[in-house]
Amino acid sequence: MTKSGSSDTKALIRRSPALCGGIRSVRTASPAKGASGRDVAVIPHPPGEEIQFDWLELPEAPREWGVGEHAHLLVGALAHSGRWRAVLAESEDFPHLVQGLDQVVRKLGGTARRWRFDRMSTVCYPSTGRVLPAFTAVAKYYGVGVDICPPRRGSRKGVVEKVNHSAAQRWWRTVPEGLSIQQAQSGVDKLALRMDERRRKVDGVSTTVAELAGSEGLLELPSRPFPAELEVERTVSPQSLVSFEGNFYSVPPGLPGAQVRVQHRLGEDDIRIVTAGQAVVARHRQAPRGSGQTVRDAGHVIALERAVLANFTDRAPCKKKVRRPPSAEALAEAGRLLDQKSAASSAERVVIDLSHYAAVADQLPHLPAQKERED
């Protein structure tokens, strides 16, 4: 629309109160407004009663992370105080969910009495909202109850939804290329700590999120995480190393480029590296997550050195610019192959003479009609 057309439209709206009121009613009824135009209840959240969890999918993850199109951030927020912590994960499957839950509640300093989720397929049956038996065992291990939000009720866990928006806008939009997952995790932790200083008013008294969180009265946590079995796929490097959670672990030589799986039971101190056939090729003591250590087995180091030295040679490199004309034997072999090729197909020896067809065409008084050609 041109500028003059826009001015005419605005003038028409000013002169027509009915039209202006109709536009307002359409805007109010728009579903994009969320809670606008309907009643909203304030849900009380007693201290230490509830933690709200949610996955935040982060698009266009750095290629170096190897997590595919989206990165995954598990966010947990205390419903009373609003304090939150978050953990980056490779996947949203059950073992990574359990690992993320344990890390989030430890960053919070304890757990609330109940955990709230939307209808995640790793927590409940999405169609009924009934908690899965596997996750029931997790809840019993941490001594908490589980609440599932009704379908299409995002505002029921509005605390964590607001945190998702803050994390996406204040942190994810500024994550540069070339940043490791551990460095990105450090950025999330720093943002969460800064947001603990947000101001709040409770019963007319000014306070902060950190002060409210101090009065939550969270429950103590088990000494170790729930023993879920974590398994991820990795590619062996030319140095016979496999990356896992910010560290590198050695495997026997002869496997560069092979696909292996790293298995780790949460709470245990060891990891296993197995092949596609489930053969265990290495077992290591796990280094602290994100410490950047290279853990090598002494036997792997010796075997790798022997393999490298066995392939080493002190011969001069091949000359790349040497003229090597074909020998008489090579020319004879090429001629033999060409003779075989010419004799292999009889169709190549057939000669089609079209003069006969030309003579018949000259005797025709006229070209055949379309109907005659079809007959």
Side-chain angles (χ1 to χ4, degrees):
M1 181 181 292
T2 62
K3 185 175 181 180
S4 59
S6 177
S7 302
D8 295 341
T9 303
K10 292 179 181 179
L12 177 62
I13 292 176
R14 285 196 297 267
R15 289 196 297 267
S16 177
L19 177 61
C20 187
I23 292 175
R24 290 196 187 98
S25 63
V26 170
R27 288 177 177 173
T28 303
S30 173
K33 289 294 182 180
S36 299
R38 59 185 174 88
D39 296 332
V40 178
V42 178
I43 302 174
H45 295 296
E49 182 66 22
E50 181 179 281
I51 298 180
Q52 300 176 6
F53 292 99
D54 194 18
W55 282 112
L56 176 61
E57 288 190 352
L58 305 169
E60 300 178 358
R63 185 177 302 176
E64 297 82 3
W65 292 11
V67 296
E69 184 179 355
H70 291 84
H72 310 278
L73 186 72
L74 182 65
V75 183
L78 293 168
H80 172 71
S81 62
R83 169 179 279 180
W84 64 274
R85 296 294 184 265
V87 174
L88 282 164
E90 292 188 28
S91 170
E92 297 183 9
D93 60 10
F94 180 78
H96 283 94
L97 172 64
V98 175
Q99 184 185 42
L101 291 172
D102 184 84
Q103 292 176 1
V104 167
V105 294
R106 293 186 191 279
K107 289 177 182 290
L108 288 171
T111 179
R113 295 163 182 81
R114 305 197 68 82
W115 291 354
R116 178 169 292 279
F117 301 88
D118 58 11
R119 301 207 166 195
M120 300 180 186
S121 60
T122 50
V123 175
C124 67
Y125 298 102
S127 58
T128 62
R130 186 175 180 180
V131 180
L132 296 172
F135 198 81
T136 301
V138 176
K140 288 182 178 179
Y141 182 82
Y142 289 94
V144 299
V146 179
D147 296 320
I148 305 299
C149 291
R152 295 177 294 279
R153 296 293 189 276
S155 57
R156 182 59 185 86
K157 54 182 181 65
V159 177
V160 71
E161 291 287 352
K162 182 59 179 177
V163 171
N164 288 348
H165 176 77
S166 300
Q169 298 298 321
R170 298 191 183 189
W171 166 71
W172 181 247
R173 293 179 63 182
T174 61
V175 172
E177 292 290 337
L179 204 67
S180 68
I181 295 182
Q182 289 70 34
Q183 291 171 327
Q185 179 65 60
S186 176
V188 178
D189 296 338
K190 291 177 181 177
L191 173 63
L193 288 173
R194 288 199 305 269
M195 294 189 70
D196 283 352
E197 302 304 319
R198 289 171 293 168
R199 305 298 301 180
R200 291 288 185 268
K201 264 196 175 181
V202 180
D203 299 331
V205 179
S206 180
T207 183
T208 64
V209 169
E211 292 173 352
L212 287 174
S215 62
E216 290 269 10
L218 301 178
L219 303 178
E220 293 185 0
L221 298 171
S223 59
R224 289 179 175 267
F226 179 83
E229 187 73 25
L230 190 70
E231 183 175 283
V232 295
E233 188 173 295
R234 291 292 185 268
T235 301
V236 181
S237 72
Q239 294 78 27
S240 296
L241 294 175
V242 173
S243 64
F244 180 66
E245 293 190 348
N247 300 292
F248 295 91
Y249 300 90
S250 66
V251 296
L255 297 174
Q259 297 294 318
V260 297
R261 291 186 173 274
V262 182
Q263 297 177 346
H264 172 58
R265 184 179 294 274
L266 300 181
E268 293 186 356
D269 298 327
D270 297 336
I271 66 167
R272 301 177 302 279
I273 303 176
V274 302
T275 62
Q278 296 300 315
V280 179
V281 295
R283 188 185 298 269
H284 295 280
R285 189 171 186 84
Q286 187 181 17
R289 180 184 177 122
S291 60
Q293 297 185 28
T294 299
V295 181
R296 290 185 179 271
D297 184 88
H300 297 164
V301 174
I302 296 173
L304 181 61
E305 290 179 353
R306 289 177 178 175
V308 172
L309 292 175
N311 295 326
F312 178 77
T313 178
D314 55 358
R315 293 185 304 173
C318 296
K319 297 180 179 179
K320 299 180 180 179
K321 297 181 180 180
V322 177
R323 187 178 68 88
R324 294 189 179 92
S327 62
E329 292 80 3
L331 292 174
E333 182 66 17
R336 187 182 65 82
L337 294 175
L338 290 174
D339 292 341
Q340 288 182 355
K341 181 179 179 182
S342 61
S345 176
S346 61
E348 296 181 0
R349 301 194 302 271
V350 175
V351 179
I352 300 177
D353 187 3
L354 298 180
S355 60
H356 175 71
Y357 297 97
V360 174
D362 292 339
Q363 297 176 5
L364 295 176
H366 62 276
L367 293 175
Q370 178 66 25
K371 185 175 181 181
E372 295 175 0
R373 290 199 297 267
E374 293 177 354
D375 296 340

